[in-house]
Amino acid sequence: MTATATPEAEATPQRAEARLAFARTALGDASVTLERASVDAGHRSYWRSSGEPSHILMDAPPGLEDVRPWLAMRDRLEAGGVRVPRVLAQDLDAGFLLLEDLGPRTLLQVIDEANAEAWFKAAIEQLLRLQAICLPAEFPRYDEALLARELRLFDEWLLGRHLGLALDGARAESLDKVYRRLIEAALAQPRVLVHRDFMPRNLMPLADGQLAVLDFQDAVAGPIAYDVLSLFKDAFLSWPAELVEWGLARYHERARHAGLPVPALADFRRDVDLIGVQRHLKVLGIFARLNHRDGKPKYLADAPRFLRYLLDVLPHYPALDPLRPLLEEQVLPPLGALPPR
């Protein structure tokens, strides 16, 4: 969920002409047409080709998005056994990739309470493969600076820009202490490859029951609990507490058997909760930024879901107490009612 404040380059006639020309050349068919398949929170857009079989064209306008990090991470994941889209043709300078078409629906559009366990099992298997990948020493890290920068998105964009709140000295100092506790907890976790948005919207169900993984270009080395938290405390779906507990316990057991460095279950659950608070605050800030900076207001409709996640967890961690009155008294009322548990 990163973006740059610039116009939608893919909407220009020149970009549309270049996109279509690339598709026709790559497919060797001058009659091919393209229709919008999807668009993400950044500037990448996706287009489905006509004909059988269909293909997906990724459009990453140069200067707004760079396809090279996506390609490099795709190759790393595939080498580790993670199912990712296959690349059929590319023009890196123009920002075009031709990919296999994995279908029209993401897991977000397929999963429900009746089939959730089966799909979550498949998601956990892909996550375990991802986390087992060995990383070079120079691989980007979820370090203190990045964790702090993400938390400040909540201050700048949700509190400041969206709600017009300016924290006084005492409250700002208390919030800083909460942030320090969250950052210390994140840095203390075992470090693995972290996708950073491992959730149903970025997973594609396949005919063989597997899941393909998308939107992985911002991966870093970071806390082991981060991605499984993202899977079960989703930005766009809420799950019953019993299903979440089942999923976290299953992941923990499978990770332990796979030799991943998960701590004891009680410590792991604490790690999940604390990294969850960090992520939920960050996402609230990103949703506000998408609204005010990027003209994408729809994400704010899901903000109350994150307040529910936060307010369910905070009572268990006294060190985070300063967050509760801020959220309950100043953030929740203007954002809307909490969704049901």
Side-chain angles (χ1 to χ4, degrees):
M1 293 182 182
T2 56
T4 305
T6 43
E8 292 284 350
E10 77 275 2
T12 67
Q14 296 87 348
R15 189 66 181 173
E17 291 174 7
R19 185 168 55 232
L20 183 59
F22 169 76
R24 288 175 170 176
T25 298
L27 293 169
D29 184 348
S31 68
V32 163
T33 59
L34 297 172
E35 64 176 16
R36 173 85 73 163
S38 68
V39 63
D40 63 20
H43 291 283
R44 288 184 305 275
S45 59
Y46 299 87
W47 304 78
R48 179 169 282 108
S49 69
S50 58
E52 290 294 336
S54 59
H55 299 82
I56 294 295
L57 188 150
M58 180 198 290
D59 182 347
L64 305 181
E65 299 279 352
D66 184 357
V67 297
R68 290 171 179 83
W70 188 94
L71 277 173
M73 187 55 60
R74 193 216 76 88
D75 293 347
R76 186 182 298 275
L77 293 179
E78 185 175 64
V82 179
R83 182 64 167 94
V84 288
R86 299 183 180 97
V87 177
L88 307 174
Q90 59 188 50
D91 184 336
L92 300 185
D93 292 335
F96 295 131
L97 298 177
L98 188 70
L99 310 174
E100 67 171 318
D101 188 353
L102 297 174
R105 297 189 297 172
T106 70
L107 184 58
L108 179 66
Q109 298 161 297
V110 171
I111 195 169
D112 56 34
E113 288 192 35
N115 62 24
E117 286 195 12
W119 283 121
F120 278 137
K121 288 177 181 178
I124 287 169
E125 292 311 306
Q126 291 298 325
L127 179 55
L128 295 174
R129 294 175 190 174
L130 183 150
Q131 292 180 327
I133 293 172
C134 292
L135 300 175
E138 68 274 12
F139 198 79
R141 294 193 174 195
Y142 226 143
D143 58 12
E144 180 173 351
L146 178 54
L147 290 161
R149 191 161 62 247
E150 289 183 341
L151 286 166
R152 292 302 173 191
L153 295 172
F154 175 75
D155 297 4
E156 178 183 357
W157 289 98
L158 189 79
L159 297 184
R161 182 69 178 274
H162 189 65
L163 300 178
L165 296 177
L167 302 182
D168 59 31
R171 179 158 281 188
E173 184 177 345
S174 295
L175 194 58
D176 284 344
K177 290 180 180 178
V178 169
Y179 288 175
R180 170 51 47 193
R181 175 70 183 92
L182 294 173
I183 291 170
E184 289 173 352
L187 295 176
Q189 287 194 38
R191 185 179 290 119
V192 294
L193 180 59
V194 177
H195 179 288
R196 294 177 70 190
D197 265 327
F198 194 86
M199 55 187 183
R201 186 184 180 199
N202 292 325
L203 300 171
M204 294 291 294
L206 306 179
D208 61 4
Q210 287 196 81
L211 289 167
V213 181
L214 310 178
D215 204 24
F216 38 71
Q217 66 281 342
D218 294 324
V220 293
I224 193 169
Y226 191 98
D227 279 341
V228 72
L229 173 279
S230 304
L231 180 63
F232 288 100
K233 297 292 182 76
D234 185 20
F236 308 106
L237 291 172
S238 296
W239 299 105
E242 300 79 18
L243 180 60
V244 173
E245 292 304 317
W246 167 85
L248 293 175
R250 179 177 178 85
Y251 164 80
H252 183 268
E253 179 183 15
R254 294 287 297 115
R256 186 169 53 84
H257 284 305
L260 291 169
V262 286
L265 182 58
D267 294 334
F268 171 72
R269 285 297 288 110
R270 177 205 60 214
D271 289 345
V272 167
D273 285 346
L274 293 178
I275 199 61
V277 173
Q278 190 273 347
R279 176 173 165 82
H280 303 330
L281 292 171
K282 173 188 76 169
V283 173
L284 285 169
I286 289 175
F287 283 179
R289 185 177 68 181
L290 285 166
N291 176 57
H292 292 284
R293 191 190 72 180
D294 302 326
K296 298 178 179 180
K298 66 178 181 177
Y299 294 93
L300 276 174
D302 287 291
R305 185 187 321 279
F306 287 91
L307 292 174
R308 166 63 75 197
Y309 291 156
L310 287 163
L311 292 172
D312 283 350
V313 165
L314 292 177
H316 303 290
Y317 298 93
L320 307 183
D321 277 348
L323 263 180
R324 293 178 65 189
L326 174 64
L327 296 176
E328 292 172 344
E329 298 167 14
Q330 296 185 272
V331 176
L332 178 58
L335 286 186
L338 292 175
R341 287 187 175 88

